[in-house]
Amino acid sequence: MTKPSTGYIILMKEGIFINTQYKKGVLELLILLMIEKKDMYGYELVEAISKIVDVNEGTIYPILKRLTNESLFETYTKESTEGPIRKYYHLTAAGKVTKDVQLKEWKKFSESVGEFIRKSETNE
């Protein structure tokens, strides 16, 4: 599989390429959804998101820092048997509200775009 010109990343699950702007629009929501399920440390989160879209630590850590500064996450440290102390992220009440709002917006957006695409493909 040959990667298209710059501005595209690979969507890991399907093995297809998508525009990086699409990825930027959904990363924050993916992070909020994953941390809502369970507290995670940074690298663990990078690995989990990388199974969905191709990302690296340099993309995820600034988002984590910003969301923590916005009080959407609380952090705590925990000893690790496999290396240094790890910083875990926990979703706050404000984070849950933000996740709910973003999820609702994403569903409405993706349904609208999907409907438009379906109509354009059938020339309606």
Side-chain angles (χ1 to χ4, degrees), residues 28-42:
E28 186 174 311
L29 177 58
L30 292 175
I31 291 168
L32 290 165
L33 287 166
M34 287 186 174
I35 294 180
E36 179 184 41
K37 287 184 180 181
K38 73 172 196 158
D39 295 358
M40 299 176 86
Y41 58 93

Side-chain angles (χ1 to χ4, degrees), residues 1-52:
M1 181 183 317
T2 303
K3 191 171 184 176
S5 63
T6 60
Y8 286 80
I9 55 97
I10 189 167
L11 182 64
M12 300 306 287
K13 192 172 181 182
E14 284 83 16
I16 59 173
F17 294 98
I18 61 171
N19 188 295
T20 54
Q21 294 303 311
Y22 300 161
K23 176 181 76 168
K24 287 180 183 177
V26 75
L27 275 179
E28 186 174 311
L29 177 58
L30 292 175
I31 291 168
L32 290 165
L33 287 166
M34 287 186 174
I35 294 180
E36 179 184 41
K37 287 184 180 181
K38 73 172 196 158
D39 295 358
M40 299 176 86
Y41 58 93
Y43 189 72
E44 177 183 28
L45 187 59
V46 171
E47 287 183 326
I49 289 179
S50 291
K51 292 176 182 173
I52 301 165

Side-chain angles (χ1 to χ4, degrees), residues 61-114:
Y61 282 106
I63 297 170
L64 289 171
K65 181 171 177 43
R66 181 176 51 79
L67 296 178
T68 301
N69 289 343
E70 292 173 3
S71 299
L72 303 184
F73 293 137
E74 296 172 334
T75 62
Y76 61 92
T77 57
K78 191 174 176 182
E79 291 284 335
S80 170
T81 59
E82 301 170 9
I85 293 175
R86 294 181 173 154
K87 181 199 267 185
Y88 281 80
Y89 295 85
H90 174 79
L91 200 61
T92 63
K96 289 178 184 179
V97 169
T98 299
K99 184 269 310 174
D100 290 343
V101 168
Q102 286 190 13
L103 185 57
K104 184 177 179 180
E105 289 172 352
W106 175 259
K107 286 179 178 179
K108 184 175 180 179
F109 172 76
S110 62
E111 287 170 9
S112 296
V113 171

